[in-house]
DNA sequence: TTGTTGATTGAGACCGGTCTCTTTGATAAT
DNA sequence: ATTATCAAAGAGACCGGTCTCAATCAACAA
């Protein structure tokens, strides 16, 4: 890289000190708000600072103090309203405690997540909040923890990592959602998730490295089996990683044999796309197909019919994890806490009995 | 503040240098990737760094270099999908150029915006992207500019501030949207915005300090007047600052006299809430009331009927402004550019002729 | 053989704060 | 009057990098 920086000369403590006819140390004391200074000198320095339009260099400050006042956050996808709401919760809690937030996107890719963590550590954030995209490779998270910087986990727990964690009871709530469908009479219920695995085909839980999703699938399968559904695994659909992919998955699912009469979507972004495909195929909800999705997104309440959703306390999830982290930042010595927030289901109009014979109207 | 920092001792260049039996300068050269070093020494240092698990202190680095590799972004409300999509555009462009993004929310409040700008400058970001919440008080933006740090404006132009700016033709597109309503026969058309003013009553354009909204209202009023609508100002509704407030505004509007037969919403968050109120009052869209909103949000395409929207190129807006800023960061000396991105309208099903007599069915 | 050149490496200043340790001077105690 | 005490201000090291400049040394030319 060339010499591009014009090196803007900014006003420093020394400049102010000189202007106020005091030592650098004294000026620093009033400017930094520490130590003791007489009122007269304080006034002088303050005046000089104002006249020169002094702006403290946070970088220099946090280099010597060792703390930056910044919390690093790594989430899967900020565009997903689930995460933006959670981030909002984090930001609010952080601001209330005088911290700032620096945000990084992992795109649910482990290598990007690692890079982001490395970067944030490099920036010397005081602590990190991560939504781990994989439970397999968590060396970078161990590193954080080991470096003495507090780490807190959001939405996804890691059994092997004993740090503050805030999640919901994904298994339990998935069971409840599935039971609603089963009770309505469904036997062909599909579970659609963005998580992918080798071969894009679901075989067993061991393939699924995103803890929340694994829990959900586990709950889903348990209830299905209890209901006597044969090999419910065949209804688990992976790889709905983008709108286009979701569309592909949904299309395959809806036109293939053994077609589901009900769908449980793992997040609202997926559900939206599935809903579009359903509409496009001129299928009716819930007469032709029932739908439940995780996350009470905006749109789910204004469709016709409105969608039955799993209403995770997303904002509280973010707020809670931030509060846990901040508590740790302030030196709380208590052992790591694993908070599991209560979750409910909003039954709206998208679930009905299975249609006897579904005609493909597309 | 107490002595809380345990002052985690991290591995520094000196530590690595000592381990590799070279000088600090040499170790720094290989670790920092600058200057010339012989292959043998490079290998030694690299090995030592790996053994010690050296992590560069980004803070110290950017303190001496003067640049942090960070772009500061201040937006009105990250939860608004308009902004999260724009931020996504910014992030993508930033990452592509090797920059990182630090995000701050202003909540559309000028004092918070000022604090955020001050903070980001303190953190020595290389440049800033701001969505100015007011055109009245822009002293803090002038300061940025004056401090030599590049500034770029997103979505809202400031006539008095000659910096890189990316917007859409708000006035023109508002005219087109309004004309669609006028052409459908509407004469009572309401414009609803989150922007507020003293008295919460619209009187004239001089009250509106958010440039994009002012432009839109201007366009709206122009078309209304051209269509011979008497005092269209009375249909401009301010203060839809939150879902609750929007609800209040919508309720007042829909139950009062001179009730609108069509509504133009200034953003999708407002439109969603208005749509809910409409539903709640068992009014039909578009038979009883027509609706157009700015921003092609997710939900607008899945309602029944789908909503006619102004489709701003939001992602491109963010990407564009980031690219402009980065160009400046790299030393481009060209004069400030004001990009106005083309915008279209997606006509869907929420506009129809005005109903003759609207009955309040609620 | 000796001076020149060029490639490497080392020494140390510097960035802009914080913070420890000294010095200074005034007041209080002896 | 002398000394202990204490608050206020000054000096300078330090954080962990970057970067300038000087020193070293081998190869090469004269």
């Amino acid at each position: 890289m060339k010499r591009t920086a014009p090196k803007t000369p900014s006003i420093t403590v020394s400049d102010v000190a000189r202007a106020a006819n005091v030592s650098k140390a004294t000026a620093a004391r009033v400017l930094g708000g520490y130590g003791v200074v007489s009122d007269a000198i304080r006034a002088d320095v303050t005046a000089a600072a104002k006249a020169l339009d002094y702006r403290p260099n946070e970088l220099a400050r946090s280099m010597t103090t060792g703390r930056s006042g910044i919390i690093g956050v790594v989430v899967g996808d900020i565009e997903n309203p689930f995460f933006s709401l959670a981030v909002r919760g984090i930001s609010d809690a952080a601001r209330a405690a005088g911290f700032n937030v620096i945000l990084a996107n992992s795109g649910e890719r482990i290598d990007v997540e690692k890079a982001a963590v490395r970067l944030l550590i490099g920036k010397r954030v005081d602590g990190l909040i991560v939504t781990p995209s994989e439970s397999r490779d968590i060396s970078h998270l161990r590193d954080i923890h080991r470096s003495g910087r507090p780490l807190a986990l959001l939405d996804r727990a890691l059994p092997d990592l004993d740090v503050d964690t805030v999640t919901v009871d994904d298994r339990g709530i998935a069971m409840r959602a599935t039971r609603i469908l089963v009770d309505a009479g469904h036997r062909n219920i599909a579970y659609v998730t963005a998580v992918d695995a080798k071969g894009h085909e679901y075989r067993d839980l061991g393939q699924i490295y995103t803890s929340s999703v694994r829990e959900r699938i586990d709950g889903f399968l348990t209830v299905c089996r209890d209901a006597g559904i044969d090999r419910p695994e065949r209804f688990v659909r992976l790889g709905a990683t983008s709108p286009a992919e979701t569309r592909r998955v949904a299309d395959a699912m809806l036109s293939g044999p053994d077609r589901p009469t009900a769908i449980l979507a793992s997040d609202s972004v997926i559900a939206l796309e599935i809903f579009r495909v359903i509409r496009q195929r001129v299928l009716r909800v819930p007469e032709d197909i029932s739908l439940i999705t995780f996350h009470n997104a905006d749109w789910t309440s204004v469709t016709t019919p409105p969608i039955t959703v799993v209403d995770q306390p997303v904002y509280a999830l973010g707020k809670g994890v931030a509060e846990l982290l901040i508590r740790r930042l302030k030196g709380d010595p208590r052992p790591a806490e694993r908070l599991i927030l209560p979750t409910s289901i909003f039954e709206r109009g998208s679930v009905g009995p299975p249609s006897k014979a579904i005609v493909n109207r597309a």
Side-chain angles (χ1 to χ4, degrees), chain A residues 162 190 234 246 250 308 323 339:
Chain A
D162 193 34
R234 65 207 152 101
T246 304
T308 293
E323 281 167 353
L339 238 56

Side-chain angles (χ1 to χ4, degrees), chain A residues 32-262:
Chain A
Y34 57 90
V36 230
V37 193
S38 70
D39 290 349
I41 297 253
R42 176 181 308 280
D44 286 359
V45 174
T46 309
K50 199 168 308 160
L52 267 49
D53 190 30
Y54 166 78
R55 307 286 182 88
N57 183 333
E58 288 314 322
L59 243 47
R61 179 170 290 172
S62 55
M63 199 173 87
T64 57
T65 58
R67 66 199 107 87
S68 58
I70 297 186
I71 292 175
V73 177
V74 184
V75 297
D77 173 19
I78 316 191
E79 258 200 281
N80 186 322
F82 178 91
F83 287 119
S84 40
L85 184 50
V87 166
R88 174 71 186 285
I90 293 175
S91 300
D92 285 356
R95 180 182 3 255
F99 285 92
N100 286 96
V101 167
I102 172 166
L103 204 63
N105 236 48
S106 75
E108 300 289 7
R109 287 178 41 204
I110 188 71
D111 52 327
V112 179
E113 178 180 314
K114 284 187 169 190
V117 165
R118 176 175 305 271
L119 178 99
L120 291 173
I121 291 185
K123 299 283 185 208
R124 291 299 188 267
V125 296
D126 290 345
L128 281 101
I129 294 175
V130 179
T131 301
S133 59
E134 275 204 18
S135 54
R136 247 182 319 185
D137 186 356
I138 56 169
S139 54
H140 56 301
L141 300 181
R142 287 226 147 79
D143 283 356
I144 302 174
H145 200 203
R146 186 138 38 81
S147 83
R149 241 169 287 278
L151 163 68
L153 265 29
L154 171 65
D155 186 51
R156 298 169 191 172
L158 254 22
D160 295 348
L161 208 59
D162 193 34
V163 300
D164 292 316
T165 304
V166 183
T167 58
V168 300
D169 175 14
D170 281 291
R171 185 166 183 281
I173 201 71
M175 290 178 72
R176 280 179 53 198
T178 310
R179 199 164 290 129
I180 288 174
L181 263 9
V182 165
D183 287 351
H186 293 276
R187 285 299 173 272
N188 283 17
I189 310 172
Y191 186 95
V192 185
T193 173
V195 170
D196 209 344
K198 247 190 303 198
H200 313 296
E201 283 287 316
Y202 178 82
R203 275 185 307 276
D204 61 77
L205 243 33
Q207 293 173 291
I208 309 299
Y209 298 110
T210 305
S211 70
S212 55
V213 174
R214 183 172 48 226
E215 297 261 308
R216 291 178 195 173
I217 295 180
D218 186 19
F220 165 75
L221 293 175
T222 302
V223 170
C224 285
R225 291 204 186 95
D226 282 359
I229 296 173
D230 181 43
R231 292 187 300 112
E233 303 80 28
R234 65 207 152 101
F235 291 117
V236 175
R237 304 288 170 161
L238 309 177
T241 49
S242 69
E245 285 301 300
T246 304
R247 181 165 291 271
R248 205 182 46 66
V249 168
D251 271 324
M253 191 165 73
L254 257 25
S255 31
D258 222 9
R259 138 181 191 173
T261 58

